[in-house]
Amino acid sequence: MNHDLQINQNAEQTYHSIRNSIVSAQHRLSAAVNSTMVITYWEIGEQIYKACGENDRAEYGKKLLDYLSEQLTVEFGKGFTVRNLRAMRQFYCLFPIRHTLCAELSWSHYRLLMRVQDEQARTFYAEECAKSAWSVRQLERQINTMYYQRILASQDKSLVAKEIQTTEPKPEYEKIIKDPYVMEFLQIQPDTHVYEGELEQALIDHLQHFLLELGRGFSFVARQKRFTLDGQDFFIDLVFYNYILKCFVLIDLKMGKLTHQDLGQMQMYVNYYTREMMNEGGFTADWHCSLCGQRGFHCKIHAAGR
């Protein structure tokens, strides 16, 4: 009886597995990609501005942008249209001090901020967006409903400030999952090559510190958790449970570049648990690309590791 109970509990735990593990892993990847993308576009904007001066629509500026767009598109693919290059130049002009850029904001956030003509309002939205972790959709709504002007005019600023959580509440997992995680307790020196197995062992050796860094509601469940699909065994590096979110978090450790095959393997895990481990609780094993928000392999570009 006890053995059957343990099996049922393990099945219950396994069933909850995917969403938070993907969110946790993708958040770290997304933060790095977004930060690099923002800095790169700022640098491109700076170089375009210095090359064509104040007026990028003058004859020389137009020819330069046409030439850059053609050459960059041939070498790096879509994304470097004349319109996008102009947006990068505008980005540099509106945010000319590099160290003031917010690492928490994506290029999509900045594209919205560039529509705000008033400099003080633009600065306010950028700071509030970073502080409150607004999504692109939340930022767009706040700009469209003149949140800055309403805050200035309101007698009860706290009431206006709380409005976004009632109209666009933050998903519960975003309140729990931290971004980024800092693992200084592992004492891994910079530029030191570490194998995935060594990293896994280091996390287990410092499990108490790791749980504290993960945040509220996490408990350790398993290491190298095995499940069988079509007669083949698969092993998940680390499994945790969050009793606040009532779901399991799977961690698959990768030391190198995230590849299409890595994402494909995780998608296979998702499909298996969705098909075999769903119950009447209504939980779904699903994931979204945190780089663009599309579901699963609908995101072909980021799934390919570009």
Side-chain angles (χ1 to χ4, degrees):
M1 180 63 70
N2 290 337
H3 180 65
D4 291 340
L5 179 60
Q6 183 178 4
I7 292 176
N8 290 335
Q9 289 175 339
N10 287 338
E12 178 77 14
Q13 292 170 353
T14 304
Y15 133 74
H16 287 289
S17 58
I18 291 299
R19 190 172 188 87
N20 275 8
S21 64
I22 295 297
V23 170
S24 178
Q26 291 288 69
H27 268 18
R28 293 193 296 272
L29 175 64
S30 177
V33 170
N34 283 332
S35 178
T36 302
M37 181 182 297
V38 167
I39 293 299
T40 301
Y41 288 171
W42 185 92
E43 291 176 347
I44 293 173
E46 178 188 31
Q47 294 172 72
I48 292 174
Y49 177 81
K50 290 180 177 180
C52 65
E54 293 289 339
N55 190 357
D56 63 316
R57 297 183 183 274
E59 182 177 358
Y60 174 75
K62 289 182 179 179
K63 289 183 177 179
L64 175 64
L65 289 177
D66 287 340
Y67 172 78
L68 292 175
S69 176
E70 180 179 352
Q71 295 298 313
L72 292 171
T73 299
V74 169
E75 187 169 358
F76 299 105
K78 297 179 180 179
F80 296 98
T81 62
V82 170
R83 179 180 179 182
N84 285 344
L85 293 177
R86 279 205 171 96
M88 296 172 200
R89 178 186 176 278
Q90 182 190 14
F91 179 40
Y92 167 75
C93 291
L94 294 179
F95 301 89
I97 304 176
R98 176 170 174 167
H99 73 262
T100 62
L101 298 176
C102 296
E104 297 85 357
L105 303 186
S106 68
W107 175 239
S108 296
H109 285 109
Y110 277 111
R111 289 296 292 264
L112 287 175
L113 290 170
M114 286 190 286
R115 300 178 190 174
V116 180
Q117 298 299 316
D118 183 85
E119 183 178 354
Q120 290 184 330
R122 187 167 57 247
T123 301
F124 169 83
Y125 285 124
E127 292 176 351
E128 286 295 311
C129 186
K131 181 176 68 176
S132 303
W134 290 347
S135 66
V136 174
R137 180 179 176 183
Q138 287 172 324
L139 174 61
E140 184 175 27
R141 183 186 184 280
Q142 297 303 77
I143 293 174
N144 290 341
T145 59
M146 303 181 70
Y147 179 68
Y148 172 69
Q149 289 80 1
R150 289 187 292 117
I151 279 284
L152 291 181
S154 176
Q155 296 294 323
D156 189 350
K157 292 178 171 52
S158 63
L159 183 62
V160 178
K162 291 179 180 178
E163 174 188 316
I164 191 171
Q165 287 303 321
T166 59
T167 56
E168 293 284 350
K170 184 185 292 186
E172 185 65 24
Y173 67 83
E174 289 192 9
K175 300 176 185 177
I176 302 298
I177 301 298
K178 296 169 61 177
D179 178 21
Y181 289 100
V182 180
M183 306 295 182
E184 79 284 350
F185 55 84
L186 296 179
Q187 299 181 346
I188 297 175
Q189 298 300 316
D191 302 323
T192 300
H193 180 74
V194 178
Y195 291 101
E196 293 167 5
E198 294 173 333
L199 176 59
E200 178 184 323
Q201 184 61 54
L203 291 173
I204 293 298
D205 291 342
H206 297 83
L207 186 57
Q208 182 177 358
H209 291 90
F210 189 31
L211 286 170
L212 290 173
E213 178 61 21
L214 286 176
R216 296 188 298 129
F218 283 91
S219 59
F220 177 67
V221 175
R223 174 186 185 185
Q224 291 297 311
K225 180 67 176 178
R226 187 184 71 176
F227 73 93
T228 302
L229 178 63
D230 295 334
Q232 183 176 355
D233 290 335
F234 295 90
F235 297 87
I236 304 170
D237 292 337
L238 298 170
V239 180
F240 294 84
Y241 182 75
N242 187 285
Y243 62 82
I244 299 175
L245 298 174
K246 295 183 173 59
C247 65
F248 278 74
V249 178
L250 307 187
I251 297 179
D252 199 25
L253 299 172
K254 298 296 178 185
M255 297 303 298
K257 181 179 179 181
L258 189 66
T259 67
H260 178 86
Q261 288 74 20
D262 297 329
L263 294 176
Q265 180 169 296
M266 186 59 77
Q267 182 68 58
M268 180 268 292
Y269 295 165
V270 173
N271 292 340
Y272 174 79
Y273 287 129
T274 300
R275 183 176 66 251
E276 302 293 337
M277 303 299 177
M278 285 283 290
N279 63 21
E280 296 179 358
F283 293 92
T284 58
D286 193 11
W287 65 281
H288 293 69
C289 176
S290 63
L291 303 183
C292 65
Q294 296 192 67
R295 290 184 60 186
F297 276 174
H298 290 225
C299 172
K300 299 297 184 183
I301 295 178
H302 299 125
R306 178 175 174 180

